[in-house]
Amino acid sequence: MLDQLSWKVGGQQGEGIDSTGDTFSVALNRRGYFIYSYRHFSSRIKGGHTNSKIRVSTKSRLANSDQLDILIAFDQETIDFNAHELRDGGVVIADSKFNPKVPEGNYRLFSVPFTKIAEECGSAIMKNMVALGASACVLGLSSDIFADIISDKFLRKGQQVVDQNMKAIQLGIDYMTENGGVLPEFQLVPADGKKRLYMSGNEAIGLGALAAGARVMPAYPITPASDVMEYLIKHFPKVGGVVLQTEDEIAAMTMAIGSSFAGARSLTATSGPGLSLMMEAIGLAGMIEAPVVIIDTQRGGPSTGLPTKNEQSDLYAVLFGTHGEIPKIVLAPSTAEECFYATADAFNYADKYQCPVILITDLALSLANQTVEPLDYNKISIDRGKIATPEQLAEVGAGQLFKRYAFTEDGISPRVFPGMKGGIHHVTGVEHNETGRPDENAQNRIKMMDKRLAKLNNMELPNSVTYAGSENPDVLIVGLGSTMGVIDEALERFQAEGLNVAHAHVKVISPFPAKTLNQYVGKAKKVVVVENNATGQLLHLMKHFGVEHSAMTSYLRYDGNPFLPVQIFDHVKGLI
């Protein structure tokens, strides 16, 4: 029996591949297995190869497995593209309609009439249900594990549709049973049966925004960020919130700033090209000290680049893209669970320091679904920062403006919202005095710049870096974002072999945690920075902010795909 299994379904975009993978994943997640599900899809709306790779395990895994156990193919292209991932003895279950052929190797092919059986049940579109049944047979599962999910999906279309789909699943099981598809060696060790969440990073961000009290989201759709918008379109109305689809990202960013000025917690979400358009407005938020949260879900660039593939190449942009110099906080969660809590933190930081907060993810984190332990909502608190009190406002004399940008020791001035008596002040993107009136006086300019930048001077936010492994490693692996799971899995293998390797993961890019990183880096003999870009942006940022080591190198992947654990393991082992 297996304690983990890798299963992939593939076909043409629009054939229900995502739905098939989602049904398979949710069914096993509800049985207590840990799931990690990664989508490979084309940038075309319809057509082009797509697949969904599901990892099932009795322990938490946050990365694709090195090899594939079972491949479900709706066309020959799926076999041609993916068979190389199959392990020795792996299984291909394919629709007999296209006369499937597998390459030479120790693979077992089951040619199953997916389409024919589905048509007998009422419609060829149910071939994915037949495929699920065939998979269930190999794993020794009954059709019952899909019953609740099928009912949830199709009951609104009538009981007959539910029954047809369940029949298709059962016929898939029956066909495989009659044709030698019962494979005890592929059966899974029983799971613990505990109920856990199953969500993507984007969904966790949406939930985190709700929990943090956000109520306005102006945004323009873009892959892979759109799921945040779609999540909040469904759930914001329940709490009186609103999502506005704007004409472009410039409008989205400026509306988010306006909403913040009016007193609402607001956010927007985008990806690289959209972030570029937002840069002028991000500068405005810095100048007028408006709290605002921006989600940047990184994808392959530049330009349209690889819109549906993974990359971590916006680090320079989020730090240095804005004109001028403003304080800016950049958070980088690495799991769906962290996305939830980091989003709530982002709103508190934005209000506390009255500056833009950018939360960056990458496509692998944004779109991959993963099992998540129950979230602790008691950990969420709301801190609106410095808001002017009635006593402070009462001190404003008749005919005078409120000193919204008053010079303070920590650089943070009390703010007011429209309608607060005594809070009238001027707001402008040009340099200004304490009341907001334009003021280009040299002395005022220096004082205002120093005031704004003082907010984050010499600071490290809590939990900016996590660390695992021995204190004095032969090799320290440094990562960011979705590489957390893959590096941790490689670390397990090093520890199993008695090798002295450690893992530091950066969770905050700005203010950069140079002091903490230097403590870890200084104790390692060698340092490898693992990232999904072509130029080693994180490595260069470390050097830029003063993190130095004589033996610090990059290990990069920038073909649009996430790292595999075996790749990290082999590369680092070669350095020991």
Side-chain angles (χ1 to χ4, degrees), residues 18-228:
D18 290 347
S19 174
T20 309
D22 192 54
T23 304
F24 183 78
S25 301
V26 173
L28 290 166
N29 188 71
R30 289 183 181 180
R31 293 298 181 278
Y33 291 101
F34 289 86
I35 307 296
Y36 180 81
S37 171
Y38 184 78
R39 294 167 55 200
H40 173 102
F41 59 109
S42 168
S43 57
R44 285 179 277 177
I45 300 299
K46 188 172 183 178
H49 174 70
T50 181
N51 65 63
S52 182
K53 188 174 184 180
I54 316 294
R55 189 174 188 182
V56 185
S57 177
T58 54
K59 63 186 295 187
S60 179
R61 291 299 185 198
L62 298 174
N64 286 320
S65 60
D66 297 330
Q67 293 181 311
L68 187 61
D69 296 296
I70 300 174
L71 175 63
I72 308 296
F74 289 166
D75 57 15
Q76 184 61 42
E77 193 176 20
T78 295
I79 299 175
D80 296 341
F81 279 1
N82 299 285
H84 70 280
E85 294 183 21
L86 284 164
R87 68 171 170 83
D88 189 46
V91 169
V92 178
I93 306 174
D95 193 343
S96 59
K97 182 180 179 181
F98 65 88
N99 190 24
K101 297 178 179 61
V102 297
E104 289 187 10
N106 183 25
Y107 311 127
R108 282 171 285 186
L109 171 64
F110 292 91
S111 183
V112 180
F114 291 160
T115 303
K116 183 180 178 183
I117 294 174
E119 288 173 343
E120 290 172 1
C121 294
S123 172
I125 199 171
M126 288 186 286
K127 64 183 180 182
N128 57 346
M129 296 295 131
V130 183
L132 286 173
S135 301
C137 177
V138 172
L139 302 179
L141 304 171
S142 77
S143 61
D144 292 344
I145 69 165
F146 300 108
D148 291 345
I149 304 161
I150 298 302
S151 180
D152 291 345
K153 281 179 176 283
F154 299 114
L155 189 58
R156 60 186 171 82
K157 295 182 179 180
Q159 186 61 45
Q160 183 181 359
V161 176
V162 173
D163 294 342
Q164 288 174 322
N165 279 273
M166 288 303 299
K167 180 182 177 182
I169 292 173
Q170 186 58 53
L171 290 179
I173 293 175
D174 294 345
Y175 184 91
M176 287 291 285
T177 302
E178 294 165 3
N179 291 275
V182 179
L183 305 176
E185 68 271 29
F186 278 82
Q187 293 187 14
L188 287 161
V189 172
D192 60 15
K194 291 183 179 177
K195 290 185 178 179
R196 299 180 178 89
L197 301 169
Y198 179 61
M199 60 172 57
S200 68
N202 277 345
E203 290 171 332
I205 288 169
L207 184 58
L210 273 174
R215 294 297 180 263
V216 180
M217 181 190 188
Y220 185 77
I222 184 171
T223 301
S226 298
D227 287 355
V228 179

Side-chain angles (χ1 to χ4, degrees), residues 247 322 378 447 495 531 554:
E247 65 270 33
T322 319
N378 292 322
K447 288 183 69 174
Q495 291 172 337
E531 43 187 326
S554 281

Side-chain angles (χ1 to χ4, degrees), residues 257-423:
I257 294 170
S259 303
S260 172
F261 176 75
R265 282 193 154 183
S266 60
L267 76 158
T268 187
T270 190
S271 191
L275 184 72
S276 299
L277 291 173
M278 292 179 177
M279 284 301 174
E280 181 181 356
I282 291 173
L284 172 66
M287 177 59 106
I288 67 172
E289 304 185 43
V292 66
V293 173
I294 304 125
I295 312 298
D296 176 40
T297 57
Q298 300 170 91
R299 66 186 203 185
S303 188
T304 307
L306 296 173
T308 61
K309 301 295 182 294
N310 188 52
E311 202 160 277
Q312 300 174 317
S313 55
D314 290 350
L315 305 190
Y316 294 162
V318 295
L319 281 183
F320 308 123
T322 319
H323 57 291
E325 299 163 307
I326 60 169
K328 188 191 305 171
I329 292 172
V330 181
L331 308 180
S334 53
T335 68
E337 182 177 358
E338 289 180 4
C339 283
F340 171 76
Y341 294 114
T343 302
D345 288 341
F347 284 98
N348 284 341
Y349 289 142
D351 277 346
K352 182 176 181 179
Y353 297 104
Q354 298 176 17
C355 68
V357 175
I358 302 177
L359 187 148
I360 60 169
T361 63
D362 48 55
L363 183 141
L365 175 57
S366 298
L367 298 186
N369 284 293
Q370 54 191 257
T371 297
V372 175
E373 295 290 351
L375 299 170
D376 185 357
Y377 298 98
N378 292 322
K379 290 183 179 178
I380 305 300
S381 60
I382 294 178
D383 178 2
R384 297 304 313 262
K386 284 187 182 178
I387 297 174
T389 64
E391 291 76 19
Q392 289 174 315
L393 293 173
E395 294 175 359
V396 180
Q400 294 183 340
L401 296 179
F402 175 67
K403 290 185 177 180
R404 165 67 184 93
Y405 306 104
F407 295 115
T408 61
E409 189 172 334
D410 60 5
I412 303 168
S413 317
R415 61 185 177 128
V416 291
F417 304 125
M420 293 175 71
K421 188 176 181 180

